[in-house]
Amino acid sequence: MNSISIGHAGNESYYLKLGREEYYTSAIDPFGVFKGEGSKLLGIENEKISHSDPRLKNLFLGYSPDGKEILRKDIHQVREYKSFRYEDKEKRVHTFKSEKSVPSHLKDKVTVNTEVRRSVVCYDNVFSAPKDVSILWSLAPSDKKREQIHDIHNQSVMEALKYLENNACYVRTGKGGKTQEKAKAIFSVFHHTTSRDLDPQLHSHAVLLNIGFSKSGKALSLDGRTILEHRYASGMIYQNSLRERLEREFNIKTYDRPFSDGKGVSFGILGISRELRREFSRRSMEIMGRISPDMSGAQVRAEVLASRKEKNFTTQTKDLFSGWRERGEQFGFSWGHVTVRKEREVLKPTEAKTYELVATSLQEHSFSQKKHRNKGRVSSPQILLATLSSVSGKFKNDEVFKRAEAFKDKFTKESGTSSKLYSLNGEGRKLINHEKIREKLYRTAKTAITYYYEWMKSNRKQVLINSKSNRKGSKKIYKLRMNYLYAVGKITRKQYLKFTSDKPTPKGYFKIHIYEALGLISKRKAYYLLNLHHKERFSSRSDPFDKKLETVEPIKSSISYDEVVSSKKLKREKPSREYHSR
C-alpha cells in the first residue's frame, strides 16, 4: 500500500535523517538514492544520499543541489491567516475570512483567530509490504533468498514511482495557473526493513520534492491534488507487482485481503498463520490497545504519536534474524511448507470476468460517493484501481494497464463538463453483478444493526439515566457530572452527546428504520421523523420563503399512522373492521 504524508516547511529534519536507517545487508548502509527525470536534469540521478545530505537540504529550501542557483523562491514560506468568528445565542459559529466581510453590528462581538500555514515542501509516499511478505523475508533460510525478496520489493517500488511521475506529477502554467503541464519530478528513495519495535517491516520512503520542471525547464510547485488522486492507484501498482513476482519466482500461493472501500486489495500468503502475523505486529497491536472506536481521527493520530518510540540506530538488522527465527519456529513456521509447492496451473481471470468485477466495483463506489460533488462519477485512477484489485496479482502491470484502458473505451462515457470523469454506459451497466452488491449491502446493514444492538445493551444500560426514574434531582446531578467529565477532558464530545441525550434522533431513512427496529424510538416517533425528513427534502428544492408543507403528501410507510399537518399532531389510524356473518 501507499500511505502518503505531506511535509511542510520547518519539518525537513525528519526526512534528512531517513538515511541513517540501515539496510538489512551490511553493518550500517546509511544511503538513500535520487530518482526521477527531475534528478536526471539536475545531474544527481542514482547518486547516494547520506545522513543530513547538503544537496537534499538545498532542494528542500528551493535551491539547486550545490546551493548556487535558486530553483523556487516560494517553496519555504510560513504565512499567518486571520479569521473572525462569532457565536450566536444558539451556539452556532459564524466564520468570516476578512475584516471587511464582518457585518457592522458584529464588529465588537467577533473574536480574531490566527492560523499559521506552512508551505508544502514534499510528499512522503511510504510503500509498505504486507506483513506476510515481511515475515517471509525475515525467516528466509539464506541471505540469497532474502536479497531476492528485497530486490522484488525495490523493483515494485520503482514501478510505482514510474507511474506517479508519468501520471500524477503536473505543474500549473499560463494565466491564473489554469493550464496543467506534465512535469519532471525529483524523488529521494530510502529502503527500510524494520518497524520501531524492531519487527520485520519492509517499507520504502519515496519523498517527492515539491519541485517540478516544466517543458521550458522552469521549476514550479507540483499540483498536489493530482498526486493525492493517484496515491491509491500507485499503491496497488506496487502491490500487484510485488504479488505477481513473488508468486512467479517463489511459487507461493496468495489470497486477497481487501482494504476499506475504494482503496484497493492487499494480500496474504498461505502457510503464514494469523497468530504468527500478530506476533510480528507488536506495534499494530499496541496501537489497537490504546485507541477506541469512539475516538476522533485527531485523537487517534495524537495517541499514535504519543506512543511512538524513538528510532533505534544502534541495533543492526542482521543481529535480529536469530531472534526472529526463534519466534517463527514457536508458531510452526516452515519455509518449505510456504514455498515448496507442486507446479500448478495459474488460473487467470478472463477479460469478461475482469470487466464484470471492475463494473461491479465502480458501481459500489458510486453508491458510497452519492453525497460527493462528483455524484458517483469515477476518474481514470479509480478505474485502474478497480482493475488492479480484480486481477489478484495474476498479470503484470503492463497487461493490467491495457485492460483498464480497454474497459474505459468500451464501457464508460465522459460524464459532466469535465473530461477527466467517467460513468458507465449502457453496455457497462449490463456487466454489473447486482447480486454481489445486494449481498454487500446486506452485510453492511447487518453490521449496523449489530453495532446499535450492542450499543443499546452496554452503553445505554450502563450510563444513561433509568427512563423509569422520575426523580428530577438525580437527573440534574447526572447532567452536572457529565458536564464536569466533558470539561476536564475525561470523555469526548461524541460520548457527551450520546450520554446526555435520552432519546436519539436519527436522520435518514435507513437510520430511522434501524432505530425503530431496535426499539430505540417508538413507531409514532419513527413515522414522524420519516415524514419530517421527506418534507425537508421537498422544501430544500422549493422557494425557501414559500414552504407550504401541508401540500406535501406523506410518504408510504408500513407504520399505521396518519399525520395532520395543520394541527401538528399525530393521530392513530383506526383500522376498519368488517364483520361477516357465518
Side-chain angles (χ1 to χ4, degrees), residues 328-356:
E329 291 175 354
Q330 290 176 0
F331 286 85
F333 175 82
S334 171
W335 176 268
H337 179 65
V338 174
T339 60
V340 180
R341 297 176 179 274
K342 295 181 180 180
E343 291 293 335
R344 64 186 187 280
E345 182 181 358
V346 179
L347 298 176
K348 297 183 178 182
T350 62
E351 282 192 7
K353 184 63 177 177
T354 301
Y355 293 155
E356 178 190 321

Side-chain angles (χ1 to χ4, degrees), residues 363-409:
Q363 183 69 7
E364 291 175 354
H365 177 77
S366 67
F367 283 159
S368 62
Q369 296 293 322
K370 275 191 174 181
K371 293 184 179 180
H372 195 265
R373 62 182 180 181
N374 289 337
K375 297 180 181 179
R377 295 173 290 180
V378 295
S379 61
S380 294
Q382 289 165 343
I383 295 174
L384 177 59
L385 179 65
T387 311
L388 286 162
S389 302
S390 66
V391 299
S392 302
K394 298 299 185 291
F395 296 100
K396 294 183 179 181
N397 285 329
D398 292 339
E399 178 64 25
V400 180
F401 294 155
K402 293 178 182 178
R403 291 199 176 190
E405 286 298 321
F407 180 89
K408 186 167 66 174
D409 294 338

Side-chain angles (χ1 to χ4, degrees), residues 38 41-42 71 171 182-184 186 211-215 217-219:
L41 190 65
L42 294 173
L71 299 178
V171 294
K182 214 167 186 180
K184 296 179 180 179
I186 308 170
I211 300 176
F213 294 96
S214 63
K215 293 179 181 178
K218 186 177 180 180

Side-chain angles (χ1 to χ4, degrees), residues 63-75:
Y63 293 95
S64 59
D66 56 10
K68 297 179 180 180
E69 181 183 353
I70 298 177
L71 299 178
R72 277 193 58 203
K73 293 182 180 180
D74 56 346
I75 191 174

Side-chain angles (χ1 to χ4, degrees), residues 224-430:
R225 290 176 297 180
T226 57
I227 296 171
L228 296 177
E229 185 182 4
H230 288 266
R231 58 176 170 168
Y232 295 131
S234 64
M236 274 305 300
I237 287 170
Y238 161 75
Q239 292 268 5
N240 187 72
S241 175
L242 182 70
R243 185 174 183 177
E244 189 272 333
R245 291 171 186 267
L246 285 172
E247 286 193 351
R248 175 162 43 86
E249 297 185 22
F250 286 90
N251 200 29
I252 62 174
K253 189 173 182 181
T254 62
Y255 57 92
D256 290 343
R257 296 185 65 198
F259 294 130
S260 56
D261 290 345
K263 298 182 181 179
V265 176
S266 183
F267 66 93
I269 299 176
L270 287 182
I272 296 180
S273 64
R274 181 182 178 183
E275 291 75 17
L276 180 60
R277 190 182 304 120
R278 291 170 64 90
E279 171 64 20
F280 282 95
S281 305
R282 291 182 294 190
R283 174 60 179 161
S284 298
M285 295 299 103
E286 179 189 4
I287 293 174
M288 293 300 295
R290 297 178 68 98
I291 64 176
S292 59
D294 57 350
M295 283 185 174
S296 64
Q299 290 174 321
V300 172
R301 286 191 293 272
E303 191 65 34
V304 170
L305 292 175
S307 62
R308 178 181 285 181
K309 298 178 181 178
E310 292 292 331
K311 290 188 177 182
N312 190 324
F313 296 115
T314 58
T315 304
Q316 299 180 16
T317 308
K318 65 179 184 179
D319 296 335
L320 300 172
F321 290 135
S322 58
W324 289 340
R325 194 172 295 111
E326 291 177 1
R327 291 163 63 188
E329 291 175 354
Q330 290 176 0
F331 286 85
F333 175 82
S334 171
W335 176 268
H337 179 65
V338 174
T339 60
V340 180
R341 297 176 179 274
K342 295 181 180 180
E343 291 293 335
R344 64 186 187 280
E345 182 181 358
V346 179
L347 298 176
K348 297 183 178 182
T350 62
E351 282 192 7
K353 184 63 177 177
T354 301
Y355 293 155
E356 178 190 321
L357 294 172
V358 173
T360 305
S361 176
L362 294 178
Q363 183 69 7
E364 291 175 354
H365 177 77
S366 67
F367 283 159
S368 62
Q369 296 293 322
K370 275 191 174 181
K371 293 184 179 180
H372 195 265
R373 62 182 180 181
N374 289 337
K375 297 180 181 179
R377 295 173 290 180
V378 295
S379 61
S380 294
Q382 289 165 343
I383 295 174
L384 177 59
L385 179 65
T387 311
L388 286 162
S389 302
S390 66
V391 299
S392 302
K394 298 299 185 291
F395 296 100
K396 294 183 179 181
N397 285 329
D398 292 339
E399 178 64 25
V400 180
F401 294 155
K402 293 178 182 178
R403 291 199 176 190
E405 286 298 321
F407 180 89
K408 186 167 66 174
D409 294 338
K410 295 179 182 178
F411 304 108
T412 65
K413 60 182 179 181
E414 292 184 2
S415 180
T417 57
S418 175
S419 59
K420 295 183 179 180
L421 295 175
Y422 305 87
S423 60
L424 294 175
N425 58 21
E427 295 297 321
R429 288 194 293 271
K430 292 178 183 178

Side-chain angles (χ1 to χ4, degrees), residues 97-111:
K97 293 184 178 180
S98 63
E99 190 173 2
K100 293 181 179 179
S101 62
V102 180
S104 57
H105 65 284
L106 297 179
K107 292 285 186 182
D108 300 332
K109 300 179 181 180
V110 296
T111 57

